[in-house]
Amino acid sequence: MEDTAKYLIHATIAADGVVERSDVVGAVFGQTEGLLGEELDLRDLQQSSKVGRIDVSIESENGQSFGEVTVASSLDKVETAILAAALETITRVGPCRASVEVTQIEDVRATKRREVVDRAKELLAGGFEETALSSDEVLEEVRDAARIEGIAEYEGLPAGPRVRDSDAIIVVEGRADVLTLLDAGIKNGIAVEGTNVPEAVADLSQDRTVTAFLDGDRGGELILRELGQVGDVDYVAFAPAGESVEDLDRSAVLDALRGKVPYETLAEEPNAREVARDPPSGSPTTESSTPGGATEDPSPTEEDADTDADVDVSAEADAGVDASAEADARSGTSDDENANVETSAETADDGDVSTEEDDDAIAAAGPGDTKSVRDHVSDVVAAGTGRARLLGQSGEVLAEVDAAAAFDALEDADPPPHAVVLDGEISQRLLDIAAQRGVSQVFGRSTGSVVKQPIGTRVTTVEDAAVEA
């Protein structure tokens, strides 16, 4: 009844003599019976659950008894007040004279409301502290969930989703480093998970272009040495001194990868980190081998397969590629060779070079040349000779070999050629060695399945250049 009661009648009782609880309850029922009529008869109200049980607490001392009486009521205010007034008509309890006084009619609902208000104030003051998130925290949580969802596995090792089908991979130390690369948009990273290089990574390095991207401490050097012994490393990049790859932001990751150097310049060095940060002059880095000081930009962001084929500076900036580095590459002043940057197959198939630029490049010839580059393209490609020519800066022929031997000839050429004219298909393998040797232009009959388009090497086919075969 107390759970559904609206009001509580509180009254005090005093008796001249010793009385017990049962005496008080009997007096309440006996002296109010018939007083208020049948509708407010206390027994009937109890049977219909409109009035609760009568609680009595009484004590005796020095021949007198004192106590409290509480009655729960679900009647309305008027009826409850009448019932309370009826209690004060009691004048005897048992054989003793007695008096009853109503001290309070408590509104149970009002009490509950006060409790609700007080508790609400407590919750408002402290209950929201742990759940309130700022905008930055919301973005960070969603971003973390997205990049963790993007991480995959390769032979049980943490890796980016493009490691299995990419021509180039970036080897890092741990899972956190792979997540850092994903934050920068690089999806072809794989972790060795310790100083013991797994066999899966060693095998993977045999047929991929490999960049080791390691922490700027002695542990990074040890991993590099073991990786160089059991695998095939092409390029090396270190985090700044005393820092880990996982601590770098996107800009620092891209800067570090742009500063990568060929592994052969570090293979015999006792302090690889210092040499990587300050490569000796004349070392076979991409920058020193590229004619005219032109370098290639590794903008290590992976473009999605549905990227538009026509790539310009603004489009690459929208896709997460460093726009300023791209602009430098087109003007001949960008950074290191793009061995580990994935661009979409669509972009690579389209050559990443506009037809107008290609026509200008083919028509360009050094002063006093007896043959222009266009003439060489006509002699080799348009004539269907099945040959390849390596051309110098002024258009002179450095070497001429069968098209199938173009890769070996380009790899062994000394000095490196300025341009290559090939009556055949331009493969990814040929483009990689051309970029490494600093070749500015490659002309061919067609392009194969090119996934990674070097920015510093211009690729042109017969169709692009509008040369009549």
Side-chain angles (χ1 to χ4, degrees):
M1 176 63 196
E2 292 183 358
D3 294 336
T4 60
K6 297 179 183 179
Y7 305 100
L8 288 178
I9 302 172
H10 297 279
T12 60
I13 185 171
D16 294 335
V18 178
V19 297
E20 297 181 350
R21 176 184 178 279
S22 59
D23 297 327
V24 176
V25 173
V28 170
F29 281 107
Q31 295 182 43
T32 60
E33 184 177 3
L35 180 63
L36 302 176
E38 294 182 358
E39 292 183 359
L40 292 179
D41 183 75
L42 194 56
R43 294 185 186 276
D44 293 340
L45 292 175
Q46 271 197 333
Q47 290 177 359
S48 61
S49 298
K50 292 182 179 181
V51 172
R53 65 190 300 268
I54 300 174
D55 292 327
V56 178
S57 173
I58 195 164
E59 295 180 357
S60 298
E61 184 178 352
N62 298 326
Q64 290 186 328
S65 299
F66 303 93
E68 293 183 355
V69 178
T70 303
V71 181
S73 169
S74 61
L75 301 171
D76 59 26
K77 286 184 177 181
V78 175
E79 294 172 331
T80 300
I82 293 173
L83 184 61
L87 293 179
E88 293 188 342
T89 63
I90 298 173
T91 59
R92 298 188 69 87
V93 175
C96 306
R97 293 180 61 84
S99 62
V100 176
E101 181 182 359
V102 176
T103 58
Q104 180 187 10
I105 300 178
E106 178 184 355
D107 189 337
V108 176
R109 293 170 299 179
T111 303
K112 289 182 178 179
R113 290 191 193 102
R114 284 194 297 272
E115 292 177 354
V116 169
V117 170
D118 292 340
R119 181 54 180 161
K121 290 179 180 179
E122 294 177 3
L123 293 175
L124 185 61
F128 291 95
E129 291 181 356
E130 297 181 358
T131 58
L133 294 176
S134 65
S135 298
D136 291 340
E137 290 172 332
V138 171
L139 292 174
E140 187 63 28
E141 283 198 14
V142 175
R143 188 178 292 115
D144 288 344
R147 67 174 185 164
I148 291 174
E149 182 180 355
I151 197 170
E153 285 192 356
Y154 179 85
E155 300 293 337
L157 300 172
R162 295 299 303 276
V163 164
R164 292 186 182 276
D165 56 6
S166 174
D167 286 345
I169 61 171
I170 300 178
V171 178
V172 293
E173 295 187 24
R175 177 186 179 87
D177 299 341
V178 176
L179 292 175
T180 299
L181 294 182
L182 289 175
D183 277 346
I186 304 171
K187 300 183 180 181
N188 58 333
I190 184 170
V192 296
E193 293 281 72
T195 57
N196 186 18
V197 178
E199 184 177 351
V201 175
D203 294 341
L204 192 63
S205 69
Q206 302 301 323
D207 57 355
R208 309 289 178 94
T209 302
V210 177
T211 294
F213 187 21
L214 305 169
D215 293 345
D217 54 20
R218 179 164 176 76
E221 283 194 38
L222 295 177
I223 293 177
L224 176 62
R225 290 179 184 176
E226 180 172 350
L227 187 60
Q229 293 174 2
V230 302
D232 185 6
V233 183
D234 298 291
Y235 298 95
V236 178
F238 283 100
E243 295 188 37
S244 300
V245 173
E246 64 183 276
D247 298 328
L248 304 182
D249 57 19
R250 180 180 183 276
S251 176
V253 168
L254 301 185
D255 288 343
L257 288 174
R258 289 192 188 100
K260 67 181 181 293
V261 297
Y263 173 69
E264 56 264 25
T265 64
L266 309 177
E268 304 299 329
E269 295 292 339
N271 193 337
R273 285 173 290 164
E274 295 299 328
V275 176
R277 295 189 186 98
D278 187 17
S281 59
S283 63
T285 62
T286 304
E287 179 177 354
S288 62
S289 63
T290 304
T295 58
E296 300 152 16
D297 181 12
S299 311
T301 53
E302 186 273 334
E303 302 278 327
D304 293 333
D306 59 354
T307 305
D308 292 337
D310 297 328
V311 178
D312 56 19
V313 173
S314 62
E316 291 201 2
D318 292 340
V321 179
D322 189 328
S324 62
E326 169 68 8
D328 289 343
R330 294 193 181 277
S331 62
T333 58
S334 63
D335 293 324
D336 186 55
E337 188 270 324
N338 188 17
N340 296 285
V341 181
E342 301 174 5
T343 55
S344 68
E346 277 188 22
T347 303
D349 290 341
D350 285 350
D352 201 23
V353 180
S354 66
T355 302
E356 181 179 352
E357 289 177 340
D358 295 336
D359 291 339
D360 293 343
I362 295 176
D369 285 346
T370 57
K371 275 192 175 184
S372 67
V373 179
R374 182 184 293 274
D375 293 333
H376 287 294
V377 174
S378 298
D379 292 346
V380 176
V381 181
T385 61
R387 305 279 288 175
R389 283 184 185 176
L390 310 186
L391 306 180
Q393 184 75 33
S394 301
E396 71 276 14
V397 178
L398 300 181
E400 182 171 343
V401 297
D402 289 337
F407 179 88
D408 294 332
L410 180 56
E411 185 177 31
D412 299 333
D414 187 20
H418 174 71
V420 176
V421 179
L422 173 70
D423 181 25
E425 183 180 82
I426 302 173
S427 65
Q428 180 70 65
R429 185 166 175 259
L430 182 64
L431 273 182
D432 288 343
I433 190 63
Q436 186 175 349
R437 298 305 310 277
V439 176
S440 296
Q441 302 168 346
V442 177
F443 302 90
R445 180 171 296 279
S446 62
T447 57
S449 178
V450 177
V451 176
K452 177 187 57 185
Q453 171 66 51
I455 296 176
T457 301
R458 181 175 298 165
V459 179
T460 311
T461 64
V462 173
E463 293 80 4
D464 293 334
V467 176
E468 293 295 331

